[in-house]
Amino acid sequence: MAEEILESVRTKYGAVAESTLSSENAGVHAVAEAFGYSAEELRSIPAQANMGLSCGNPTATAHIQAGEVVVDLGSGGGLDVFLAAKMVGPQGRAIGIDMTPAMIDRARANALAGGYSNVEFYLSTIDLIPLPDASVDCVISNCVLNLAPDKAAVFREIARVLKPGGRLAVSDIALKQELPEAVAQSMAAYVGCIAGALHIDEYGAGLLAAGFEHVEIVDSGADLNAYAKVENQSGCCSPAMDCSDPLKVIAEPCCTPAAGPADSLHEELKTLLTQYDINAAAASVKVYAIKSRGGTRGAL
């Protein structure tokens, strides 16, 4: 089942990576700005790094400092990696981890085009981060941790690579109560970033067990039912949404991804979300945590 989930995610995001989505498209640019990226930030990085997949701007809240090592889990085309690279400067490093080959190819091409010398991209799942113990100052991510089949392994890996006192700053989706069975068992809902989510309490407990402290999980108030109104969405948040009001659908989608294997997943998700009030069970959240200076406390 885990491999089936991963392959579905790869298929979906691989199609996005091979598309022409970029900041040169007004709709894609507008989505990124609505989620907290300034026009100046978007102009400062390769246009191809932005595909309208963001649901937040983790670099704005991660308190990134010059000389630090920052890792982005599920880095896509490199949007947050390139912004972090400017913050850490020539003495620091910004590293992207992504399990989709086409995304890694696109990110590396963007790095070459932008002349970045302090960025790296690795092809890997996020439960097996190819970095040494205690080598990272900050881990960021954007609605990706909920896609991992084994969240406990991901939490442990994040704690392993973070230095004592290192920080985690991500956007994610978490559950407030149990999902309806039809949604919980749906592959479309999983790839759509809903069915794989942890309960908020379980999320917090998992981070604590992995060696984190000062854990804070904040409900952003986004309307998850808007997923039901989006056809051919290209990610957990797509250019077909006006994200100034998170997950609100705009009148004219800025793009239509090419038809592919993931289309049936979109249709199934749309059907499910017209039948169930997902907001009653799930929430878009901001997650913050600090790795305990005492180290990892043990497995979940």
Side-chain angles (χ1 to χ4, degrees), residues 8 18 25-26 41 45 50 52 65 85 90 117 126 146-147 155 169 181 186 194 208 212 233 241-242 265 267 281 294:
S8 293
E18 293 171 351
N25 182 296
E41 285 177 315
I45 62 173
N50 174 28
Q65 302 296 316
S117 60
I126 60 176
N146 52 38
L147 295 173
F155 294 159
E181 186 67 15
S186 167
I194 296 172
L208 290 170
F212 289 91
Q233 68 184 75
M241 302 176 186
D242 175 3
L265 293 172
E267 288 302 317

Side-chain angles (χ1 to χ4, degrees), residues 180-218:
E181 186 67 15
V183 178
Q185 297 301 318
S186 167
M187 180 63 70
Y190 198 110
V191 176
C193 307
I194 296 172
L198 293 174
H199 189 279
I200 290 175
D201 293 340
E202 186 180 3
Y203 206 127
L207 288 172
L208 290 170
F212 289 91
E213 57 189 13
H214 305 298
V215 176
E216 184 177 3
I217 302 176
V218 180

Side-chain angles (χ1 to χ4, degrees), residues 1-10 99 125 127 147-151 187 190-191:
M1 180 63 176
E3 187 53 42
E4 181 183 356
I5 291 170
L6 292 177
E7 189 54 39
S8 293
V9 173
R10 283 194 189 96
M99 70 171 188
T125 55
D127 59 345
L147 295 173
D150 189 347
K151 274 74 167 177
M187 180 63 70
Y190 198 110
V191 176

Side-chain angles (χ1 to χ4, degrees), residues 53 135 223:
L53 299 176
S135 61
D223 180 11

Side-chain angles (χ1 to χ4, degrees), residues 86-265:
K86 294 181 178 297
M87 297 176 183
V88 300
Q91 302 305 313
R93 284 194 302 156
I95 301 169
I97 309 292
D98 204 286
M99 70 171 188
T100 303
M103 282 294 186
I104 292 293
D105 290 344
R106 183 162 177 159
R108 288 173 175 166
N110 289 332
L112 183 62
Y116 292 88
S117 60
N118 62 342
V119 305
E120 304 167 38
F121 292 96
Y122 293 102
L123 179 65
S124 176
T125 55
I126 60 176
D127 59 345
L128 293 170
I129 302 172
L131 297 172
D133 295 357
S135 61
V136 175
D137 296 290
C138 179
V139 171
I140 60 177
S141 189
N142 209 331
C143 278
V144 172
L145 303 193
N146 52 38
L147 295 173
D150 189 347
K151 274 74 167 177
V154 173
F155 294 159
R156 290 195 297 269
E157 275 293 271
I158 295 172
R160 179 185 67 78
V161 301
L162 278 173
K163 300 172 183 177
R167 60 203 181 277
L168 171 71
V170 307
S171 298
D172 216 339
I173 292 176
L175 302 182
K176 297 179 287 187
Q177 63 186 46
E178 188 174 347
L179 287 169
E181 186 67 15
V183 178
Q185 297 301 318
S186 167
M187 180 63 70
Y190 198 110
V191 176
C193 307
I194 296 172
L198 293 174
H199 189 279
I200 290 175
D201 293 340
E202 186 180 3
Y203 206 127
L207 288 172
L208 290 170
F212 289 91
E213 57 189 13
H214 305 298
V215 176
E216 184 177 3
I217 302 176
V218 180
D219 186 341
S220 72
D223 180 11
L224 301 180
N225 278 322
Y227 281 127
K229 304 174 185 178
V230 180
E231 296 184 10
N232 296 319
Q233 68 184 75
S234 57
C236 295
C237 178
S238 81
M241 302 176 186
D242 175 3
C243 299
S244 58
D245 181 0
L247 302 180
K248 179 181 178 181
V249 179
I250 62 177
E252 292 290 336
C254 65
C255 64
T256 301
D263 286 351
S264 61
L265 293 172

